[in-house]
Amino acid sequence: GAVVSQHPSRVICKSGTSVKIECRSLDFQATTMFWYRQFPKQSLMLMATSNEGSKATYEQGVEKDKFLINHASLTLSTLTVTSAHPEDSSFYICSAPLRGTSGGLSSYNEQFFGPGTRLTVL
Amino acid sequence: AQSVTQPDIHITVSEGASLELRCNYSYGATPYLFWYVQSPGQGLQLLLKYFSGDTLVQGIKGFEAEFKRSQSSFNLRKPSVHWSDAAEYFCAVGGSGNTPLVFGKGTRLSVIA
């Protein structure tokens, strides 16, 4: 199956610093990638949609100036948490859709998830 | 609006007993349905998925799920639970095209001896 990687898997930083998280589709191209955030003991919430060659689309309530997304190539999207604060501590997961076919359907997009990045801001 | 409801926040079952985790969805188009499992501190692992065809879907680790369109449900089942199945389970719905998944709040499964 398709593989999505994330780097780093875990990062600890001081309050006020910026942190960059990379999401890579290793064996397929992805014009779109999604970034989710998961707070402890909660579900995954979509933060933004990353589009190759254009601006990201952010969900309501997500600060685009704080969470900078760059989709530089068809296999790489980056999420930069700027001026991080303790409340930004969370588990960040990316996904990339891969088009396939199944049972007569012309196409569908199955999401492949990265392993996640645990961010802790001190 | 698109949504997924997992009515049970926490379920405890005895090892060897059967399991059913409930999932109801609301989706305006043809839904594609998924169940994921997440162990503490880990990422998501796909258990099974439904896109079309047979409404009873077999997944990994002995799990299965049944899609019931009339009830907007996609319940996850396992005939005999193992202690290693203790984890958080998420139901999710998506559509065709480049659309993200919408996740339920999750059900935490505890397994007792």
Side-chain angles (χ1 to χ4, degrees), chain A residues 22-81:
Chain A
E22 293 184 347
C23 176
R24 293 183 185 272
S25 55
L26 297 186
D27 47 4
F28 66 102
Q29 294 181 333
T31 57
T32 299
M33 292 183 177
F34 302 105
W35 287 96
Y36 298 83
R37 180 169 56 187
Q38 184 182 32
F39 290 111
K41 300 187 184 301
Q42 295 190 26
S43 187
L44 282 78
M45 298 298 294
L46 179 68
M47 295 177 65
T49 301
S50 173
N51 302 299
E52 190 268 337
S54 65
K55 291 183 178 180
T57 304
Y58 292 81
E59 296 300 298
Q60 190 173 9
V62 177
E63 301 173 58
K64 61 181 180 181
D65 294 331
K66 181 170 189 61
F67 298 99
L68 300 180
I69 291 174
N70 183 24
H71 200 139
S73 74
L74 289 173
T75 59
L76 173 64
S77 174
T78 60
L79 169 67
T80 301
V81 183

Side-chain angles (χ1 to χ4, degrees), chain A residues 10 31-32 34 36 38 42-44 46 49 91 93 97 99 102-105 107-111 113-115 118, chain B residues 32 34 36 38 40-44 46 49 51-53 88 90 95-106 108:
Chain A
R10 185 180 297 267
T31 57
T32 299
F34 302 105
Y36 298 83
Q38 184 182 32
Q42 295 190 26
S43 187
L44 282 78
L46 179 68
T49 301
F91 193 54
I93 304 176
R99 177 162 292 183
S102 175
L105 287 179
S107 68
Y108 65 85
N109 280 299
E110 181 175 349
Q111 300 287 337
F113 286 84
R118 171 102 29 218
Chain B
Y32 301 139
F34 308 83
Y36 292 89
Q38 185 180 37
Q42 302 297 311
L44 299 175
L46 179 66
K49 61 194 176 191
F51 290 125
S52 68
E88 190 84 20
F90 292 98
S96 61
N98 284 341
T99 57
L101 296 185
V102 176
F103 287 83
K105 292 185 181 297
R108 182 162 62 93

